[in-house]
Amino acid sequence: MNFAPLPSVDAAEVPSDGFVLDVRENDEWAAGHVEGALHIPMSDFVGRFGELTEAAGDGRRVHVMCRVGGRSAQVTQYLVQQGIDAVNVDGGMQAWDGAGRPMVADNGAPAFVL
């Protein structure tokens, strides 16, 4: 079988108004995440898929993010198979933080990547 390479972008290339889907677990999300991102943990993803299709219903690109890029790659592959314009964010939240991109935490404390 011939699989097309997974579409991906560097964290620094995600537009500031880009649509970000964070597939990390709740504790990771609470520690630090992209403001305005949609949070659907990978473990809940199939059951909550409708939330994503509703949020991305306008056809905009979905930037899929996890901690380092493994879980988000699996979700990106699934979304592409569903015909959704999705890209994996290379290096995930670690790369996002490393690129100096803004993050927020749930409790108002300084955000960090768990």
Side-chain angles (χ1 to χ4, degrees):
M1 292 176 118
N2 186 11
F3 290 104
L6 191 67
S8 62
V9 296
D10 287 331
E13 294 171 15
V14 177
S16 57
D17 62 348
F19 179 54
V20 175
L21 169 66
D22 191 320
V23 298
R24 297 174 302 148
E25 295 304 313
N26 292 330
D27 57 337
E28 295 173 284
W29 167 266
H33 56 268
V34 178
E35 190 167 14
L38 175 63
H39 179 226
I40 303 178
M42 186 172 164
S43 56
D44 297 342
F45 192 74
V46 174
R48 294 176 58 189
F49 182 65
E51 290 177 46
L52 172 69
T53 55
E54 189 174 313
D58 54 8
R60 60 189 163 152
R61 170 163 285 180
V62 179
H63 299 85
V64 189
M65 180 104 72
C66 66
R67 189 165 65 91
V68 292
R71 288 170 286 179
S72 56
Q74 294 176 52
V75 172
T76 300
Q77 186 170 30
Y78 175 78
L79 293 176
V80 168
Q81 289 169 348
Q82 307 306 312
I84 293 172
D85 180 11
V87 294
N88 189 34
V89 178
D90 274 340
M93 284 299 296
Q94 288 188 334
W96 183 273
D97 189 30
R101 303 292 302 263
M103 297 188 302
V104 294
D106 275 357
N107 60 6
F112 67 97
V113 178
L114 184 64

